[in-house]
């Protein structure tokens, strides 16, 4: 039986171990254990914290999911001003910078450190006695916003410091760095938002800024933020660093995620580093907009000091922007699957960073107004985040005299229905129930890989089917014939046959795919899966209450409302019924048909170190078992953790099979989850 002091020591050991593996995984990208092994450690810690809630401090790694939402961010006055950097753009700028330093210091050659200039947001973090206690945005350099709860959700940021190599935990440490989103994470984030019918982020920087400033940390926890640190602020109990390099190495021994850096000697050294990083910028997993050059020697830095808001010892050597100017030939409105109207600029084709760009998104009405882009304007376009080209700015001097501001349509340009603002006010949507533009997108989504996976039914064909009037609802897809298909432009007999075969094959599907295919706003693949588990039969959703839906895993109040309204809508019920009538058969999620838990009644008692009660229940149910609250002759097993009391006694009296935690975990592991 464990006691509090034992549990406390074990929790500490687990936190240290988890921090170590987090660092290996998120910072070094070289894990030493499997995800399953990591989960086991995490579960053991959760078990201890459940038993002894006083152990569940905010800096426990179990708390990364995000704490309570706030009304507003508090203000933080920085202990020392957060400086910014002067920019240089060319070799002349570099020469001036380097010469000035030589003159001021009287040295003939100076050692520098070069770091990627991360394109994110500056933040300051404070650790007290090794615990992460405060994190703030830069703000105006003097005062920033308290975003501690949001920063806690970033997995690569240690909540507690466990130094190695015999280094002592500093009494008070302030570190500064950058919050950003990796290119790959950005791509996935936008893909998910598109799937869920939400507006897309223009670039990783905007996505990072928006994510960090969420009032609900649970939202931030769902965003893939990364962090790199590159400087220290006023601290206590630190060793004296001779160089910036020593400082960065020291931060590494504390287990902190430190920015990349390389040494450079004199202006020539810097030039070489600049050429290397300019060539390598696209290969980096994150966006950089330049290279930061810093004097390495800390003593020299102090002597050099600062001018107004930037230090004399550092400079940002910017990369030439991947921007070009071109002309806006037209502004069009695109209608998405969920009816969102997105303004798109049609451009005179121009090469930006090696890629020809002929369209750029203007995101939404507010953005369009803010930038005041008009037909005929000369604009700068930038390839942002390697994904969506965007318009940076208009060149006012080149605006044609007769130019008129673009007026956002009040009605859908495709079906003519009224266009109305969303609840959150940013997106304007077509309200037409049978809008063909929405229908094309809906059909495409219905046929997409994670939905009914109808091979050959892409963008072009969806448009043809809708505009020819052959498809007015999803169910019409199942009534298509070879003859009707062959009436479409460029549709041969063979392709028609192939398409019909894949449509026919898509009838046998799963409830998860089926729910996803309906294109309900906010319902991506993961939500569809959770919904399918809770509602294995689609028609039970017609009568499900808002409360029933809110109980589904990860479904928040806004999402629950949208889902509830969707299934209440008679038109949607008709569509679903028509699909079922057309022979579409969504199989419920598989329930285990074999294994020790199928059809069994299990009672849980006492506490388990490795598994919380709720999780144990979920795992048993997934394996086809039922969890009951009290022991009777009908009970098949009792799982007895520590401190099991009367239920264990009753089980012994009745001769019910008793499992200890280890035996139970082995049984779980031996059976696959349904
Ligand atoms: S050092 C006193 N290092 O660039 C020096 N800044 O324009 C403080 N930045 O506000 C900054 N990467 O947000 C430094 N490796 C790096 C950086 C970096 C990006 C940002 C930072 C700063 C801005 C200055």
């Amino acid at each position: 039986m464990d006691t509090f002091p034992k549990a406390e020591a074990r929790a500490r050991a687990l936190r240290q171990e988890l921090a170590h593996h987090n660092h290996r995984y998120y910072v070094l990208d070289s894990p030493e254990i499997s995800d399953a092994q990591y989960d086991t450690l995490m579960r053991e810690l959760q078990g201890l914290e459940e038993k002894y809630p006083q152990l569940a401090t905010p800096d426990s790694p179990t708390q990364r999911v995000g704490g309570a939402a706030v009304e507003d961010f508090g203000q933080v006055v920085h202990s020392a001003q957060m400086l910014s950097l002067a920019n240089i753009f060319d070799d002349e700028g570099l020469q001036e910078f380097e010469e000035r330093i030589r003159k001021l210091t009287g040295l003939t050659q100076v050692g520098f450190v070069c770091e990627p200039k991360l394109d994110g947001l500056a933040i300051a973090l404070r650790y007290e006695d090794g615990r992460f206690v405060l994190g703030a945005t830069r703000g105006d350099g003097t005062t920033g916003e308290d975003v501690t709860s949001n920063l806690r959700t970033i997995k690569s940021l240690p909540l507690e410091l466990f130094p190695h190599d015999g280094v002592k935990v500093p009494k008070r440490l302030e570190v500064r760095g950058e919050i950003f989103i990796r290119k790959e994470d950005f791509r996935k984030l936008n893909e998910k938002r598109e799937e869920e019918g939400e507006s897309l982020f223009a670039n990783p920087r905007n996505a990072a800024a928006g994510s960090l400033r969420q009032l609900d940390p649970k939202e931030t926890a769902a965003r893939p933020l990364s962090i790199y640190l590159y400087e220290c602020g006023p601290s206590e109990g630190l060793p004296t660093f001779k160089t910036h390099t020593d400082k960065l190495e020291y931060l590494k021994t504390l287990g902190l995620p430190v920015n990349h850096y390389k040494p450079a000697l004199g202006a020539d050294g810097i030039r070489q580093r600049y050429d290397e990083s300019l060539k390598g910028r696209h290969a980096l997993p994150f966006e950089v907009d330049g290279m930061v050059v810093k004097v390495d020697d800390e003593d020299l830095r102090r002597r050099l000091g600062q001018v107004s808001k930037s230090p004399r010892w550092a400079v940002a050597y910017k990369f030439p922007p991947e921007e070009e100017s071109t002309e806006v030939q037209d502004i069009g409105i695109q209608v998405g699957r969920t009816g969102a109207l997105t303004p798109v600029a049609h451009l005179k084709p121009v090469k930006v960073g090696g890629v020809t760009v002929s369209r750029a998104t203007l995101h939404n009405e507010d953005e369009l107004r803010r930038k005041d882009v008009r037909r005929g304007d000369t604009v700068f376009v930038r390839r942002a985040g390697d994904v969506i080209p965007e318009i940076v700015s208009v060149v006012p001097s080149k605006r044609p005299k007769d130019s008129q501001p673009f007026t956002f349509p009040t009605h859908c340009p495709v079906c003519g229905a009224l266009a109305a603002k969303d609840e959150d006010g940013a997106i304007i949507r077509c309200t037409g129930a049978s809008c063909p533009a929405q229908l094309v997108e809906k059909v495409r989504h219905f046929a997409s890989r994670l939905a009914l996976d109808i091979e050959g039914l892409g963008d072009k064909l969806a448009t043809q089917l809708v505009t020819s009037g052959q498809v007015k609802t999803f169910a019409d897809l199942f009534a298509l014939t070879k003859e009707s298909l062959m009436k479409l432009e460029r549709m041969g007999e063979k392709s028609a046959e192939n398409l019909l075969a894949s449509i026919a094959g898509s009838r046998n599907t799963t409830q998860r795919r089926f729910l996803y295919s309906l294109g309900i706003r906010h319902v991506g693949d993961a939500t569809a899966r959770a919904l399918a588990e809770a509602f294995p039969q689609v028609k039970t959703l017609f009568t499900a209450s808002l409360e029933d839906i809110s109980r589904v895993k990860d479904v928040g109040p806004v999402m629950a409302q949208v889902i509830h309204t969707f299934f209440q809508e008679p038109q949607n019920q008709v569509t679903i019924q028509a699909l079922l009538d057309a022979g579409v058969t969504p199989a419920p999620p598989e329930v285990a048909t074999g294994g020790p838990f199928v059809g069994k009644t299990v009672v849980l008692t006492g506490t388990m170190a490795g598994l919380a009660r709720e999780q144990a229940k979920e795992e048993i149910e997934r394996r086809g078992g039922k969890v009951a609250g009290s022991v009777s002759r009908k009970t098949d097993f009792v799982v007895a953790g520590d401190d099991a009391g009367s239920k264990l006694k009753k089980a012994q009296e009745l001769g019910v099979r008793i499992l200890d935690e280890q035996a139970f975990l082995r049984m779980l592991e031996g059976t696959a989850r349904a």
Side-chain angles (χ1 to χ4, degrees):
M1 208 183 289
D2 50 28
T3 55
F4 181 71
K6 255 171 83 186
E8 194 179 22
R10 178 70 188 141
R12 185 167 167 74
L14 282 167
R15 279 186 200 144
Q16 175 159 12
E17 211 173 324
L18 285 163
H20 169 77
H21 292 303
N22 241 0
H23 187 72
R24 301 281 323 182
Y25 188 94
Y26 288 104
V27 181
L28 306 179
D29 200 13
S30 135
E32 292 168 338
I33 58 171
S34 70
D35 290 1
Q37 286 169 313
Y38 182 88
D39 290 345
T40 307
L41 294 173
M42 186 64 101
R43 276 208 298 266
E44 186 183 344
L45 182 58
Q46 277 164 346
L48 287 174
E49 290 178 355
E50 218 160 273
K51 189 164 170 188
Y52 301 107
Q54 64 268 51
L55 291 177
T57 52
D59 45 27
S60 169
T62 58
Q63 307 299 307
R64 296 225 192 240
V65 284
V70 292
E71 293 263 307
D72 223 332
F73 297 109
Q75 298 221 319
V76 175
V77 178
H78 297 300
S79 45
Q81 199 186 18
M82 282 183 80
L83 301 177
S84 63
L85 297 170
N87 291 326
I88 56 171
F89 301 93
D90 49 28
D91 200 68
E92 208 184 304
L94 171 63
Q95 277 179 39
E96 279 173 24
F97 167 72
E98 195 260 357
E99 234 175 70
R100 192 171 56 237
I101 290 173
R102 273 193 287 116
K103 270 208 195 116
L104 287 168
T105 59
L107 294 170
T108 46
Q109 198 163 43
V110 178
F112 295 93
V113 171
C114 299
E115 300 172 12
K117 182 163 191 304
L118 304 160
D119 196 7
L121 291 99
I123 41 98
L125 311 176
R126 191 184 302 160
Y127 285 87
E128 279 169 9
D129 296 317
R131 288 169 190 273
F132 173 55
V133 292
L134 183 69
T137 60
R138 178 175 183 278
D140 62 5
T142 307
T143 311
E145 283 177 322
D146 180 348
V147 286
T148 314
S149 311
N150 288 347
L151 289 169
R152 278 191 211 284
T153 67
I154 302 177
K155 300 214 180 59
S156 56
L157 177 75
L159 301 172
E160 206 178 334
L161 301 175
F162 296 102
H164 35 91
D165 301 343
V167 168
K168 271 207 338 236
V169 172
K171 178 100 199 80
R172 180 167 177 274
L173 171 72
E174 187 170 319
V175 266
R176 295 179 173 183
E178 201 88 352
I179 298 290
F180 60 97
I181 292 185
R182 287 165 196 273
K183 291 176 190 168
E184 177 63 14
D185 290 334
F186 173 73
R187 197 182 52 73
K188 286 193 202 144
L189 176 64
N190 256 355
E191 241 172 51
K192 184 159 160 275
R193 288 177 72 87
E194 177 150 43
E195 227 174 53
E196 296 175 0
E198 288 178 51
S199 60
L200 302 188
F201 288 115
N203 54 51
R205 213 198 94 82
N206 286 2
S211 304
L212 190 62
R213 297 198 69 260
Q214 290 290 326
L215 291 170
D216 183 356
K218 290 194 182 60
E219 277 296 320
T220 310
R223 309 280 178 85
L225 293 176
S226 294
I227 182 168
Y228 269 149
L229 303 168
Y230 44 64
E231 289 294 339
C232 288
S235 303
E236 256 179 79
L238 295 194
T240 318
F241 305 118
K242 252 183 81 52
T243 60
H244 180 59
T245 308
D246 287 350
K247 182 200 312 158
L248 295 181
E249 286 303 315
Y250 166 80
L251 294 178
K252 279 191 196 169
T253 57
L254 296 183
L256 290 163
V258 173
N259 195 11
H260 301 218
Y261 72 91
K262 285 200 170 135
L265 205 55
D268 278 343
I270 298 172
R271 270 183 206 110
Q272 198 186 330
R273 291 292 179 217
Y274 184 75
D275 291 343
E276 284 165 13
S277 46
L278 193 56
K279 274 201 205 91
R281 68 183 291 198
H282 291 295
L284 284 177
F286 42 81
E287 294 264 315
V288 289
D289 57 351
M291 183 177 92
V292 179
V293 185
K294 301 174 177 176
V295 169
D296 194 23
D297 190 298
E298 289 288 331
D299 207 34
L300 281 190
R301 281 193 182 193
R302 276 184 286 275
R303 279 164 51 199
L304 286 163
Q306 67 182 74
V307 271
S308 94
K309 284 183 175 172
S310 30
R312 280 203 196 86
W313 45 262
V315 79
Y317 194 170
K318 301 279 275 202
F319 290 150
E322 292 193 297
E323 274 180 23
E324 280 305 331
S325 68
T326 186
E327 200 180 298
V328 177
Q329 298 178 318
D330 201 1
I331 295 174
I333 297 284
Q334 238 173 29
V335 187
R337 161 169 65 85
T338 57
L341 304 190
T342 308
V344 177
H346 301 260
L347 307 167
K348 190 167 161 209
V350 61
K351 269 205 160 183
V352 187
V355 176
T356 305
V357 172
S358 54
R359 289 153 73 83
T361 178
L362 288 158
H363 301 289
N364 52 46
E365 189 191 14
D366 292 345
E367 176 93 354
L368 178 68
R369 283 243 172 90
R370 197 169 57 74
K371 290 185 175 159
D372 186 23
V373 179
R374 306 179 185 187
R375 198 171 292 140
D377 270 348
T378 297
V379 292
F380 278 103
V381 275
R382 184 172 93 163
R383 234 160 35 92
D386 286 344
V387 217
I388 325 159
E390 73 167 341
I391 291 184
V392 185
S393 58
V394 172
V395 184
S397 58
K398 293 198 176 163
R399 173 165 280 172
K401 286 209 178 56
D402 56 352
S403 136
Q404 291 294 322
F406 180 80
T407 37
F408 209 86
T410 51
H411 291 77
C412 172
V414 179
C415 74
L418 194 73
K421 273 212 169 156
D422 237 11
E423 316 90 62
D424 68 4
I427 305 180
I428 296 182
R429 289 179 205 274
C430 158
T431 56
S434 51
C435 171
Q438 284 184 52
L439 186 56
V440 168
E441 290 303 314
K442 280 187 180 140
V443 168
R444 209 166 60 95
H445 177 80
F446 183 79
S448 65
R449 198 173 46 82
L450 294 176
L452 262 65
D453 195 17
I454 303 175
E455 214 185 301
L457 212 179
D459 217 356
K460 283 211 177 84
L461 192 56
T463 311
Q464 282 180 303
L465 290 171
V466 169
T467 48
S468 67
Q470 294 196 37
V471 171
K472 295 198 179 72
T473 77
F474 296 147
D476 293 340
L477 286 169
F478 297 91
L480 292 171
T481 63
K482 197 157 92 179
E483 293 67 42
S484 68
L485 281 175
M486 282 172 63
K487 285 190 200 128
L488 300 176
E489 214 176 296
R490 266 186 274 158
M491 174 69 77
E493 189 170 350
K494 189 78 202 140
S495 345
E497 278 170 5
N498 287 345
L499 180 66
L500 288 174
S502 56
I503 292 177
S506 75
R507 282 193 173 95
N508 280 324
T509 187
T510 61
Q511 174 73 340
R512 169 181 178 175
R513 285 176 174 276
F514 187 73
L515 291 175
Y516 174 72
S517 76
L518 297 173
I520 308 163
R521 198 139 53 89
H522 303 303
V523 179
D525 176 52
T527 310
R529 176 188 179 166
L531 266 181
E533 276 174 12
F535 299 94
Q537 304 294 334
V538 66
K539 283 168 75 174
T540 52
L541 277 158
F542 294 180
T543 48
S545 68
L546 186 58
E547 293 73 51
D548 292 339
I549 296 171
S550 312
R551 271 196 291 273
V552 176
K553 202 168 69 188
D554 296 336
V555 170
V558 175
M559 220 196 255
Q561 185 64 61
V562 172
I563 297 169
H564 184 248
T565 312
F566 181 91
F567 285 102
Q568 290 291 301
E569 167 63 44
Q571 226 182 41
N572 293 332
Q573 295 191 359
V574 170
T575 305
I576 291 168
Q577 187 58 53
L579 283 170
L580 299 177
D581 291 344
V584 176
T585 321
E590 260 177 54
V591 178
T593 50
F597 293 103
V598 175
K600 299 286 198 256
T601 304
V602 185
V603 173
L604 301 169
T605 177
T607 24
M608 285 183 271
L611 206 62
R613 169 102 32 129
E614 256 323 291
Q615 278 175 311
K617 180 166 181 270
E618 207 173 283
E619 297 294 333
I620 292 167
E621 286 169 352
R622 279 174 193 252
R623 288 167 176 78
K626 215 174 72 194
V627 174
S630 59
V631 181
S632 73
R633 277 182 212 289
K634 292 203 195 106
T635 311
D636 293 288
F637 315 110
V638 168
V639 179
D642 281 333
D643 299 331
S646 63
K647 289 181 194 169
L648 175 60
K649 217 165 130 221
K650 179 110 186 253
Q652 283 162 339
E653 282 164 21
L654 294 174
V656 173
R657 188 169 160 203
I658 297 160
L659 300 171
D660 66 9
E661 181 177 351
Q662 290 311 314
F664 172 62
L665 289 178
R666 270 199 302 279
M667 247 165 96
L668 284 182
E669 258 151 43
T671 21
R673 295 206 306 202

